């Protein structure tokens, strides 16, 4: 869909972020180090320089941020980004907290 309709912006949140990665050639799987069914925590998500340079990030956070705090519950994560996928944020529980493709797809 996103190849044919480049004017449509796509936001994937939680399970949607995993499904979009999978549909575009990435890989989502269980967090291997997890000894409990899921993580439920306030995550300190470190944003990358690439995210800080996105116009939508600058609009939403004009003062700029090094990290974003999110309340999360998850037991799976993105193991492999899809082709063209760009890592935009990471945390202590999972490497891929935020990813995107250009200015069209943003997933967290």
């Amino acid at each position: 869909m996103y190849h044919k309709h480049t004017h449509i912006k796509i936001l994937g949140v939680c399970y949607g972020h995993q499904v979009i990665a999978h549909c575009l050639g990435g890989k989502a799987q269980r967090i291997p180090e997890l000894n409990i069914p899921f993580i439920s925590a306030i995550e300190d998500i470190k944003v990358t320089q690439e995210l800080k340079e996105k116009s939508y990030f600058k609009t939403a956070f004009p003062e700029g941020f090094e990290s974003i705090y999110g309340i999360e519950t998850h037991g799976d994560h993105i193991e492999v980004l899809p082709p063209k996928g760009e890592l935009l944020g990471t945390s202590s529980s999972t490497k891929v907290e935020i990813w995107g493709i250009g200015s069209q797809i943003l997933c967290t």
Side-chain angles (χ1 to χ4, degrees):
M1 174 182 94
Y2 89 101
H3 295 296
K4 294 180 183 177
H5 305 284
T6 57
H7 64 285
I8 296 174
K9 306 296 184 197
I10 300 169
L11 175 65
V13 178
C14 197
Y15 183 64
H17 129 120
Q18 296 170 24
V19 169
I20 292 168
H22 175 77
C23 289
L24 297 179
K27 181 180 177 185
Q29 70 178 36
R30 182 113 179 102
I31 299 171
E33 301 83 18
L34 197 59
N35 298 334
I36 54 176
F38 57 86
I39 297 167
S40 186
I42 298 173
E43 291 281 6
D44 180 6
I45 303 167
K46 304 292 184 199
V47 298
T48 64
Q49 189 60 39
E50 290 80 9
L51 180 57
K52 292 179 199 176
E53 293 171 3
K54 303 272 184 196
S55 61
Y56 56 79
F57 188 83
K58 289 178 183 179
T59 300
F61 303 102
E63 301 297 318
F65 284 90
E66 296 301 313
S67 53
I68 300 170
Y69 291 93
I71 300 170
E72 299 182 345
T73 299
H74 58 106
D76 299 326
H77 71 150
I78 304 298
E79 181 68 24
V80 178
L81 283 170
K84 300 183 184 176
E86 179 179 32
L87 179 64
L88 300 173
T90 188
S91 75
S92 62
S93 68
T94 181
K95 180 182 174 189
V96 182
E97 280 282 0
I98 305 171
W99 69 275
I101 297 178
S103 63
Q104 188 179 8
I105 298 175
L106 178 64
C107 294
T108 184

PDB file of all heavy atoms in Angstrom, residues 38-52:
ATOM      1  N   PHE A  38       5.883 -10.740  30.056  1.00  0.00           N
ATOM      2  CA  PHE A  38       5.994  -9.435  29.406  1.00  0.00           C
ATOM      3  C   PHE A  38       6.668  -8.436  30.331  1.00  0.00           C
ATOM      4  O   PHE A  38       6.777  -8.653  31.528  1.00  0.00           O
ATOM      5  CB  PHE A  38       4.627  -8.907  28.963  1.00  0.00           C
ATOM      6  CG  PHE A  38       3.627  -8.799  30.083  1.00  0.00           C
ATOM      7  CD1 PHE A  38       3.568  -7.672  30.888  1.00  0.00           C
ATOM      8  CD2 PHE A  38       2.737  -9.837  30.335  1.00  0.00           C
ATOM      9  CE1 PHE A  38       2.652  -7.572  31.928  1.00  0.00           C
ATOM     10  CE2 PHE A  38       1.814  -9.749  31.369  1.00  0.00           C
ATOM     11  CZ  PHE A  38       1.773  -8.623  32.160  1.00  0.00           C
ATOM     12  N   ILE A  39       7.094  -7.330  29.738  1.00  0.00           N
ATOM     13  CA  ILE A  39       7.676  -6.211  30.477  1.00  0.00           C
ATOM     14  C   ILE A  39       6.578  -5.163  30.632  1.00  0.00           C
ATOM     15  O   ILE A  39       5.879  -4.854  29.668  1.00  0.00           O
ATOM     16  CB  ILE A  39       8.849  -5.583  29.711  1.00  0.00           C
ATOM     17  CG1 ILE A  39       9.983  -6.587  29.552  1.00  0.00           C
ATOM     18  CG2 ILE A  39       9.333  -4.313  30.379  1.00  0.00           C
ATOM     19  CD1 ILE A  39      11.035  -6.154  28.547  1.00  0.00           C
ATOM     20  N   SER A  40       6.435  -4.624  31.800  1.00  0.00           N
ATOM     21  CA  SER A  40       5.517  -3.510  32.028  1.00  0.00           C
ATOM     22  C   SER A  40       6.317  -2.471  32.804  1.00  0.00           C
ATOM     23  O   SER A  40       6.651  -2.688  33.966  1.00  0.00           O
ATOM     24  CB  SER A  40       4.297  -3.963  32.822  1.00  0.00           C
ATOM     25  OG  SER A  40       3.368  -2.913  32.914  1.00  0.00           O
ATOM     26  N   ALA A  41       6.641  -1.364  32.124  1.00  0.00           N
ATOM     27  CA  ALA A  41       7.549  -0.403  32.749  1.00  0.00           C
ATOM     28  C   ALA A  41       7.445   0.966  32.091  1.00  0.00           C
ATOM     29  O   ALA A  41       6.869   1.106  31.014  1.00  0.00           O
ATOM     30  CB  ALA A  41       8.978  -0.899  32.633  1.00  0.00           C
ATOM     31  N   ILE A  42       8.016   1.938  32.759  1.00  0.00           N
ATOM     32  CA  ILE A  42       8.222   3.240  32.143  1.00  0.00           C
ATOM     33  C   ILE A  42       9.581   3.169  31.467  1.00  0.00           C
ATOM     34  O   ILE A  42      10.597   2.957  32.136  1.00  0.00           O
ATOM     35  CB  ILE A  42       8.181   4.373  33.185  1.00  0.00           C
ATOM     36  CG1 ILE A  42       6.804   4.424  33.841  1.00  0.00           C
ATOM     37  CG2 ILE A  42       8.534   5.707  32.527  1.00  0.00           C
ATOM     38  CD1 ILE A  42       6.698   5.396  34.995  1.00  0.00           C
ATOM     39  N   GLU A  43       9.577   3.277  30.154  1.00  0.00           N
ATOM     40  CA  GLU A  43      10.809   3.150  29.375  1.00  0.00           C
ATOM     41  C   GLU A  43      11.401   4.517  29.072  1.00  0.00           C
ATOM     42  O   GLU A  43      10.686   5.448  28.705  1.00  0.00           O
ATOM     43  CB  GLU A  43      10.539   2.444  28.044  1.00  0.00           C
ATOM     44  CG  GLU A  43      10.196   0.992  28.185  1.00  0.00           C
ATOM     45  CD  GLU A  43      11.394   0.096  28.412  1.00  0.00           C
ATOM     46  OE1 GLU A  43      12.527   0.577  28.575  1.00  0.00           O
ATOM     47  OE2 GLU A  43      11.182  -1.129  28.435  1.00  0.00           O
ATOM     48  N   ASP A  44      12.700   4.603  29.194  1.00  0.00           N
ATOM     49  CA  ASP A  44      13.462   5.779  28.783  1.00  0.00           C
ATOM     50  C   ASP A  44      13.947   5.489  27.367  1.00  0.00           C
ATOM     51  O   ASP A  44      14.901   4.740  27.167  1.00  0.00           O
ATOM     52  CB  ASP A  44      14.633   5.990  29.736  1.00  0.00           C
ATOM     53  CG  ASP A  44      15.489   7.188  29.386  1.00  0.00           C
ATOM     54  OD1 ASP A  44      15.132   7.952  28.467  1.00  0.00           O
ATOM     55  OD2 ASP A  44      16.544   7.354  30.021  1.00  0.00           O
ATOM     56  N   ILE A  45      13.259   6.042  26.373  1.00  0.00           N
ATOM     57  CA  ILE A  45      13.559   5.775  24.972  1.00  0.00           C
ATOM     58  C   ILE A  45      14.511   6.845  24.456  1.00  0.00           C
ATOM     59  O   ILE A  45      14.169   8.024  24.402  1.00  0.00           O
ATOM     60  CB  ILE A  45      12.266   5.749  24.131  1.00  0.00           C
ATOM     61  CG1 ILE A  45      11.295   4.711  24.704  1.00  0.00           C
ATOM     62  CG2 ILE A  45      12.586   5.469  22.663  1.00  0.00           C
ATOM     63  CD1 ILE A  45       9.880   4.821  24.159  1.00  0.00           C
ATOM     64  N   LYS A  46      15.707   6.416  24.110  1.00  0.00           N
ATOM     65  CA  LYS A  46      16.714   7.331  23.564  1.00  0.00           C
ATOM     66  C   LYS A  46      16.432   7.537  22.080  1.00  0.00           C
ATOM     67  O   LYS A  46      16.368   6.570  21.322  1.00  0.00           O
ATOM     68  CB  LYS A  46      18.127   6.762  23.737  1.00  0.00           C
ATOM     69  CG  LYS A  46      18.488   6.433  25.166  1.00  0.00           C
ATOM     70  CD  LYS A  46      18.604   7.660  26.013  1.00  0.00           C
ATOM     71  CE  LYS A  46      19.064   7.294  27.416  1.00  0.00           C
ATOM     72  NZ  LYS A  46      18.786   8.300  28.391  1.00  0.00           N
ATOM     73  N   VAL A  47      16.269   8.788  21.686  1.00  0.00           N
ATOM     74  CA  VAL A  47      15.998   9.077  20.279  1.00  0.00           C
ATOM     75  C   VAL A  47      17.305   9.296  19.531  1.00  0.00           C
ATOM     76  O   VAL A  47      18.280   9.800  20.085  1.00  0.00           O
ATOM     77  CB  VAL A  47      15.041  10.286  20.114  1.00  0.00           C
ATOM     78  CG1 VAL A  47      13.703  10.001  20.751  1.00  0.00           C
ATOM     79  CG2 VAL A  47      15.630  11.554  20.687  1.00  0.00           C
ATOM     80  N   THR A  48      17.318   8.887  18.269  1.00  0.00           N
ATOM     81  CA  THR A  48      18.520   9.021  17.451  1.00  0.00           C
ATOM     82  C   THR A  48      18.587  10.421  16.838  1.00  0.00           C
ATOM     83  O   THR A  48      17.589  11.146  16.792  1.00  0.00           O
ATOM     84  CB  THR A  48      18.529   7.999  16.312  1.00  0.00           C
ATOM     85  OG1 THR A  48      17.430   8.272  15.433  1.00  0.00           O
ATOM     86  CG2 THR A  48      18.453   6.566  16.839  1.00  0.00           C
ATOM     87  N   GLN A  49      19.735  10.767  16.357  1.00  0.00           N
ATOM     88  CA  GLN A  49      19.915  12.045  15.670  1.00  0.00           C
ATOM     89  C   GLN A  49      19.020  12.110  14.434  1.00  0.00           C
ATOM     90  O   GLN A  49      18.477  13.165  14.106  1.00  0.00           O
ATOM     91  CB  GLN A  49      21.386  12.251  15.279  1.00  0.00           C
ATOM     92  CG  GLN A  49      21.686  13.635  14.755  1.00  0.00           C
ATOM     93  CD  GLN A  49      21.390  14.734  15.770  1.00  0.00           C
ATOM     94  OE1 GLN A  49      21.639  14.588  16.960  1.00  0.00           O
ATOM     95  NE2 GLN A  49      20.841  15.839  15.302  1.00  0.00           N
ATOM     96  N   GLU A  50      18.832  10.968  13.778  1.00  0.00           N
ATOM     97  CA  GLU A  50      17.976  10.914  12.585  1.00  0.00           C
ATOM     98  C   GLU A  50      16.539  11.314  12.929  1.00  0.00           C
ATOM     99  O   GLU A  50      15.892  12.029  12.163  1.00  0.00           O
ATOM    100  CB  GLU A  50      17.999   9.511  11.964  1.00  0.00           C
ATOM    101  CG  GLU A  50      19.316   9.135  11.319  1.00  0.00           C
ATOM    102  CD  GLU A  50      20.396   8.669  12.313  1.00  0.00           C
ATOM    103  OE1 GLU A  50      20.091   8.462  13.511  1.00  0.00           O
ATOM    104  OE2 GLU A  50      21.550   8.536  11.871  1.00  0.00           O
ATOM    105  N   LEU A  51      16.034  10.865  14.074  1.00  0.00           N
ATOM    106  CA  LEU A  51      14.682  11.253  14.483  1.00  0.00           C
ATOM    107  C   LEU A  51      14.627  12.737  14.823  1.00  0.00           C
ATOM    108  O   LEU A  51      13.691  13.435  14.444  1.00  0.00           O
ATOM    109  CB  LEU A  51      14.200  10.416  15.670  1.00  0.00           C
ATOM    110  CG  LEU A  51      12.793  10.735  16.183  1.00  0.00           C
ATOM    111  CD1 LEU A  51      11.747  10.592  15.084  1.00  0.00           C
ATOM    112  CD2 LEU A  51      12.442   9.857  17.370  1.00  0.00           C
ATOM    113  N   LYS A  52      15.640  13.215  15.514  1.00  0.00           N
ATOM    114  CA  LYS A  52      15.673  14.633  15.893  1.00  0.00           C
ATOM    115  C   LYS A  52      15.638  15.550  14.673  1.00  0.00           C
ATOM    116  O   LYS A  52      15.161  16.672  14.752  1.00  0.00           O
ATOM    117  CB  LYS A  52      16.924  14.938  16.715  1.00  0.00           C
ATOM    118  CG  LYS A  52      16.942  14.307  18.073  1.00  0.00           C
ATOM    119  CD  LYS A  52      18.242  14.664  18.759  1.00  0.00           C
ATOM    120  CE  LYS A  52      18.548  13.745  19.896  1.00  0.00           C
ATOM    121  NZ  LYS A  52      19.846  14.038  20.493  1.00  0.00           N
TER     122      LYS A  52
END
